[in-house]
Amino acid sequence: NAGVMQNPRHLVRRRGQEARLRCSPMKGHSHVYWYRQLPEEGLKFMVYLQKENIIDESGMPKERFSAEFPKEGPSILRIQQVVRGDSAAYFCASSTRNTEAFFGQGTRLTVV
Amino acid sequence: GQQVMQIPQYQHVQEGEDFTTYCNSSTTLSNIQWYKQRPGGHPVFLIQLVKSGEVKKQKRLTFQFGEAKKNSSLHITATQTTDVGTYFCNAGGTSYGKLTFGQGTILTVHP
């Protein structure tokens, strides 16, 4: 049973481009979470999704950020028109209900 | 999701010294989970506490859940350089939907 898979591991984008971060949860997991982390800081919650539904997006910036978890395929975190302040590590976690979360290795986004 | 405060934010210790980090909530928690993130790595689940007053041990790590289920602690005895990293608590677990983490305690162990 493969763990949570995130790709790419490293992503470089120029200002104004789009960034697409992918997360394949563990097999059998229907809950997906996205977090953002700056160096030496905590995990900032962004969004919680279940299959085809956004359950809680209270941590998502109102503009430029969107997330989806389709019926088939990975969860996608999309950042449009990236700015330097979007540079961070983005972690995805998955779980079943009432169990611990398993994290992917993260995508390090650098905006140049 | 539940909100927790985690203290201290940073802790520097000499190898062999003990270390403790605390999570505090203003509301009663259903459960609490602890995670460790090594530098440059991703958070890894350590343990979940569910019962009031529960104490669990993993080698040199001792986890406690308060009697009122509003606070928890992680204690490391005789730290080693391999203990370096950030320790996070998560309150409530997935039953509350949103996994909300404390801000973490960054542990540095000086050899």
Side-chain angles (χ1 to χ4, degrees):
Chain A
N1 189 5
V4 178
M5 302 300 292
Q6 283 189 253
N7 67 80
R9 292 286 307 279
H10 300 274
L11 181 62
V12 180
R13 284 286 178 266
R14 296 186 184 280
R15 281 179 295 170
Q17 290 185 320
E18 178 180 286
R20 279 182 171 246
L21 286 61
R22 296 174 187 78
C23 170
S24 296
M26 286 183 70
K27 187 176 181 181
H29 285 193
S30 58
H31 301 241
V32 167
Y33 308 81
W34 284 94
Y35 295 86
R36 170 192 164 106
Q37 187 178 42
L38 293 172
E40 298 212 347
E41 292 193 8
L43 295 160
K44 182 176 182 292
F45 169 81
M46 299 183 74
V47 62
Y48 162 45
L49 311 106
Q50 293 181 20
K51 281 286 187 182
E52 299 185 276
N53 287 304
I54 297 175
I55 307 302
D56 184 336
E57 57 181 347
S58 57
M60 290 275 275
K62 299 296 182 192
E63 297 177 350
R64 301 189 298 109
F65 285 72
S66 63
E68 62 176 6
F69 188 16
K71 186 177 180 180
E72 301 291 337
S75 175
I76 305 288
L77 178 66
R78 183 181 177 206
I79 311 173
Q80 295 178 293
Q81 298 176 323
V82 296
V83 301
R84 287 218 171 107
D86 297 331
S87 295
Y90 292 84
F91 289 98
C92 164
S94 75
S95 72
T96 60
R97 187 171 175 79
N98 291 329
T99 65
E100 70 270 25
F102 292 85
F103 282 80
Q105 293 186 310
T107 294
R108 271 76 178 174
L109 173 66
T110 302
V111 179
V112 297
Chain B
Q2 301 291 337
Q3 299 294 324
V4 291
M5 294 298 297
Q6 193 171 351
I7 56 171
Q9 187 174 359
Y10 301 95
Q11 185 75 59
H12 294 255
V13 299
Q14 289 294 132
E15 190 172 18
E17 292 182 338
D18 292 356
F19 159 75
T20 306
T21 175
Y22 302 90
C23 270
N24 300 301
S25 171
S26 58
T27 58
T28 302
L29 303 173
S30 169
N31 62 69
I32 196 158
Q33 301 171 349
W34 286 93
Y35 293 76
K36 176 183 178 182
Q37 183 179 23
R38 294 184 185 275
H42 60 283
V44 174
F45 173 79
L46 294 177
I47 209 158
Q48 176 170 287
L49 304 171
V50 179
K51 300 177 183 176
S52 168
E54 188 171 13
V55 177
K56 288 188 177 180
K57 291 192 175 186
Q58 291 179 353
K59 297 183 180 179
R60 294 179 293 105
L61 277 61
T62 302
F63 303 84
Q64 291 189 316
F65 203 7
E67 294 289 342
K69 298 182 73 172
K70 289 185 175 183
N71 52 69
S72 179
S73 66
L74 158 59
H75 179 83
I76 302 178
T77 304
T79 55
Q80 301 175 358
T81 53
T82 53
D83 296 324
V84 164
T86 304
Y87 293 84
F88 294 98
C89 62
N90 166 51
T94 58
S95 60
Y96 287 87
K98 181 170 74 175
L99 285 176
T100 304
F101 288 84
Q103 64 266 39
T105 296
I106 300 174
L107 172 64
T108 303
V109 179
H110 300 282

